[in-house]
Amino acid sequence: MKRWNGWGDENVHYALPPSAQEYLLERLGPLNPGPDAPQSAMIAVLGASRLPPYPGLDASPLTRLLHARGQSLPDWIDLRYGRVTTFPDGVAFPTSIEEVAQALNYARRAGAAIIPYGGGTSVVGHINPLPSERPVLTLSMTHLTRLLDLDQDSRVATFEAGVTGPLLEQQLRSHGYTLGHFPQSFEYSTLGGWVATRSSGQQSLGYGRIEQLFVGGRVETPRGPLILPLAPASAAGPDLRQLVLGSEGRLGVITYARVRVKPLPEAEEFHGVFFPSFEQGMRAAREIVQGEHPVSMLRLSDALETEVTLRLVGASWATWVERGLRWIGYGPDRCLLVLALTGSRARVHRTRREVIALCRRYGGWFAGPAVGRQWQKNRFRAPYLRNTLWEIGVAVDTLETAVPWSRLPEAARVIPTAIEQAMQAQGERVLAFAHLSHVYRDGASVYVTFLFRLHPDPEVLQARWRAMKHAASLTIQQLGGTISHQHGVGLDHAPYLEAELSPLGLDALRSVFRVFDPEGCMNPGKLLSE
Ligand SMILES: Cc1cc2nc3c(=O)[nH]c(=O)nc-3n(C[C@H](O)[C@H](O)[C@H](O)COP(=O)(O)OP(=O)(O)OC[C@H]3O[C@@H](n4cnc5c(N)ncnc54)[C@H](O)[C@@H]3O)c2cc1C
């Protein structure tokens, strides 16, 4: 069963070795286990549903609570400290495109706001109901998961938008194909959610981000359906698909999506390469991507992230790697690059040889297959660490941007520093570190993780988080980076959007949303503050 106030399956635990706990204690100070409020505490404050009855509408307290929050840190604080105060008034579970349209009509007649809900894995407040006079209908896509069509000649698959990562891949794999879209939230996030948030999978370098994969589909808007026809390329004016990508539920409900698929690769390997410094690793990563070596993933951790990774794993292979690195003279600045090679056996073999030679020129040391294999094994298990950390008293959050290569060394340094300074001002410590998670010819994303102690008072904890988030967001703005490379805008990034899109740009978006949704009932308050 899915955890209601944490990440993932209740039966999956990510154990931390005692040495990892000692390390966190040493870096952050004494830790106290985090709270775990019972469901009953929140159900007790839940008012009666304001929605009129409707066939299939679930207005039970538990269902409303289970759809009240996503996976952001403020969401976790609300759930774990028992502070959830806004809930949907009911949840509809359509089983067909027609039922989606009917639910939209019903909601409009009831004067309700509508929140499209995929997997609920948003980390920026996308699916949270806001306090409002209007009732709120959450529209769950959980029953719309079928593969509708697979055009093997064109290598285009059409799926209902509520399909999760595992279900999508399972259906494609039985025909010998893959989408290759693997966000870390793969286990629960959905195709509709990926499109609506402009998501990026871990192997986007090889397969493309969702905007390169999404080629058409259907959006049920309050004014009727918007059909995005399939054309391999088009000069018929601005591309409306780009309006749907990143629309965060504001235009309507994506009911099905067409996506580019590829035959399953013959071979795939993950490798770990250590560099003496971040600068050297970055130069190697840049040369790999600009030299167009067919690599499907490059992920370079800074020195602190490398240290934390090795310490938290604590396994015997990590000890051997540490010894090896000391033996070859790599000091505390060593950085880990994880890369993936995907394709035909011959191509993987050739690329491996080329990339090994290239990395060596920058001091790269291939650590053997264990590091890459370990990364691959844990790629979707890592989010479970959030549960374990919370249980011992540590909160963890992440944020991300993308900047050109010329600004990358500075970005990877100053964003974690801004977070540290925000906590220093409060007399608290934080472990803030970064990695380049997605690389492009002209730049890369900087993905920052920060770990800090829980506090018995949720207001204090929330204020600390807000101070760090704000400091990091302002620093991103000063760097000219985007406020989000992959997580979207939702609630948490909305205050920073104007600086990126300009007042005119925001006005244009507002007008577009009004065209499709004149009464402003689609996910109000998200992406654009009203
Ligand atoms: C542990 C963890 C790891 C993550 N890793 C990544 C990562 O590697 N890459 C990445 O890109 N993101 C990542 N995310 C963020 C999140 O998974 C993505 O934003 C994802 O795309 C959300 O999909 P979802 O189906 O869960 O959408 P939801 O959270 O349910 O919704 C997100 C937004 O999309 C809208 N929406 C959802 N479905 C539809 C639809 N059918 N029609 C219209 N609008 C819709 C919602 O209204 C909402 O505004 C991660 C999140 C977590 C918790």
Side-chain angles (χ1 to χ4, degrees):
M1 198 151 65
K2 199 170 160 188
R3 279 188 178 83
W4 71 276
N5 62 358
W7 176 260
D9 188 322
E10 277 177 354
N11 297 316
V12 179
H13 294 276
Y14 193 122
L16 269 183
S19 61
Q21 298 197 33
E22 282 159 25
Y23 174 73
L24 291 170
L25 203 86
E26 187 190 304
R27 297 296 303 243
L28 297 175
L31 302 171
N32 293 308
D36 190 5
Q39 283 179 351
S40 54
M42 278 155 286
I43 285 178
V45 301
L46 207 145
S49 169
R50 296 167 294 176
L51 281 170
Y54 179 70
L57 178 77
D58 187 343
S60 68
L62 183 57
T63 302
R64 289 170 61 196
L65 172 61
L66 295 180
H67 293 82
R69 291 293 179 273
Q71 288 288 327
S72 74
L73 189 68
D75 292 345
W76 272 53
I77 295 173
D78 283 354
L79 288 164
R80 292 287 186 133
Y81 286 81
R83 296 176 0 132
V84 181
T85 50
T86 53
F87 304 85
D89 289 271
V91 184
F93 295 91
T95 57
S96 66
I97 294 171
E98 294 71 37
E99 284 186 16
V100 172
Q102 287 159 11
L104 284 188
N105 282 334
Y106 153 75
R108 286 183 60 214
R109 283 196 308 275
I114 302 152
I115 304 181
Y117 187 102
T121 66
S122 161
V123 282
V124 288
H126 281 122
I127 52 91
N128 302 12
L130 300 178
S132 161
E133 303 279 289
R134 264 180 174 179
V136 176
L137 174 73
T138 290
L139 205 147
S140 166
M141 297 296 285
T142 196
H143 295 314
L144 290 164
T145 63
R146 287 172 307 161
L147 172 62
L148 299 177
D149 182 53
L150 177 62
D151 175 349
Q152 302 207 31
D153 289 336
S154 315
R155 293 190 179 165
V156 170
T158 307
F159 278 98
E160 290 178 332
V163 66
T164 58
L167 268 178
L168 177 143
E169 281 296 324
Q170 190 187 316
Q171 293 182 76
L172 281 181
R173 269 158 205 254
S174 63
H175 298 277
Y177 290 91
T178 178
L179 178 62
H181 189 76
F182 304 114
Q184 202 186 42
S185 56
F186 178 75
E187 199 178 343
Y188 294 102
S189 57
T190 65
L191 177 57
W194 300 338
V195 173
T197 59
R198 295 186 87 95
S199 157
S200 195
Q202 290 164 342
Q203 285 169 265
S204 69
L205 183 55
Y207 290 100
R209 284 166 60 90
I210 199 69
E211 58 260 39
Q212 279 123 21
L213 302 172
F214 173 64
V215 288
R218 176 180 171 122
V219 187
E220 218 52 54
T221 83
R223 286 190 54 194
L226 172 70
I227 314 270
L228 302 162
L230 173 66
S234 164
D239 189 345
L240 293 181
R241 285 175 301 193
Q242 292 296 332
L243 284 181
V244 173
L245 283 156
S247 55
E248 303 193 353
R250 296 289 316 240
L251 287 183
V253 184
I254 303 159
T255 48
Y256 66 75
R258 295 191 202 285
V259 282
R260 296 190 168 110
V261 297
K262 283 189 171 173
L264 281 167
E266 198 182 13
E268 183 154 78
E269 298 175 358
F270 291 79
H271 293 278
V273 190
F274 285 90
F275 289 89
S277 71
F278 189 68
E279 181 67 31
Q280 281 157 292
M282 205 188 62
R283 284 163 62 196
R286 190 177 68 208
E287 194 173 321
I288 293 171
V289 63
Q290 290 181 344
E292 298 185 13
H293 293 275
V295 170
S296 64
M297 185 187 84
L298 285 171
R299 218 179 143 90
L300 176 70
S301 297
D302 70 6
L304 183 54
E305 182 167 295
T306 303
E307 174 179 302
V308 173
T309 306
L310 292 172
R311 291 300 193 98
L312 295 200
V313 169
S316 59
W317 68 263
T319 315
W320 281 108
V321 166
E322 291 266 29
R323 278 192 199 145
L325 288 169
R326 271 200 299 274
W327 190 70
I328 58 171
Y330 286 16
D333 291 339
R334 75 272 162 93
C335 288
L336 173 62
L337 173 79
V338 180
L339 59 88
L341 309 172
T342 307
S344 68
R345 265 188 201 83
R347 183 165 124 155
V348 165
H349 182 71
R350 194 175 59 242
T351 309
R352 190 191 322 118
R353 267 207 333 252
E354 289 167 3
V355 168
I356 288 179
L358 190 155
C359 287
R360 281 202 180 125
R361 287 209 300 280
Y362 293 97
W365 176 66
F366 267 73
V371 177
R373 266 208 302 269
Q374 188 67 18
W375 187 89
Q376 186 182 11
K377 192 174 126 211
N378 282 331
R379 64 191 297 188
F380 307 126
R381 270 190 77 230
Y384 286 87
L385 192 52
R386 283 177 92 189
N387 302 329
T388 316
L389 288 170
W390 185 278
E391 279 151 25
I392 63 167
V394 177
V396 53
D397 198 15
T398 61
L399 50 88
E400 24 77 59
T401 183
V403 292
W405 284 108
S406 50
R407 308 222 70 172
L408 259 169
E410 187 190 356
R413 191 168 31 82
V414 297
I415 304 170
T417 304
I419 292 173
E420 277 162 16
Q421 287 169 350
M423 278 301 246
Q424 268 162 19
Q426 314 210 21
E428 264 297 296
R429 286 186 268 171
V430 58
L431 267 174
F433 41 83
H435 68 255
L436 308 189
S437 60
H438 299 265
V439 297
Y440 307 94
R441 284 161 64 140
D442 47 352
S445 66
V446 179
Y447 189 98
V448 178
T449 304
F450 48 110
L451 274 64
F452 55 109
R453 293 194 298 179
L454 295 177
H455 190 279
D457 182 346
E459 294 297 337
V460 174
L461 185 61
Q462 188 99 328
R464 286 181 180 166
W465 172 82
R466 211 173 293 118
M468 288 186 280
K469 181 85 177 171
H470 186 57
S473 302
L474 289 185
T475 308
I476 287 170
Q477 276 181 3
Q478 282 152 14
L479 285 161
T482 173
I483 198 61
S484 176
H485 166 265
Q486 64 197 60
H487 290 158
V489 180
L491 288 177
D492 298 342
H493 293 150
Y496 307 97
L497 195 61
E498 185 171 302
E500 185 166 340
L501 299 192
S502 83
L504 181 60
L506 279 199
D507 225 28
L509 275 187
R510 204 168 273 123
S511 309
V512 168
F513 293 160
R514 214 172 294 127
V515 169
F516 291 99
D517 175 25
E519 289 151 20
C521 51
M522 295 306 308
N523 211 2
K526 315 297 167 49
L527 181 59
L528 302 177
S529 327
E530 299 311 307

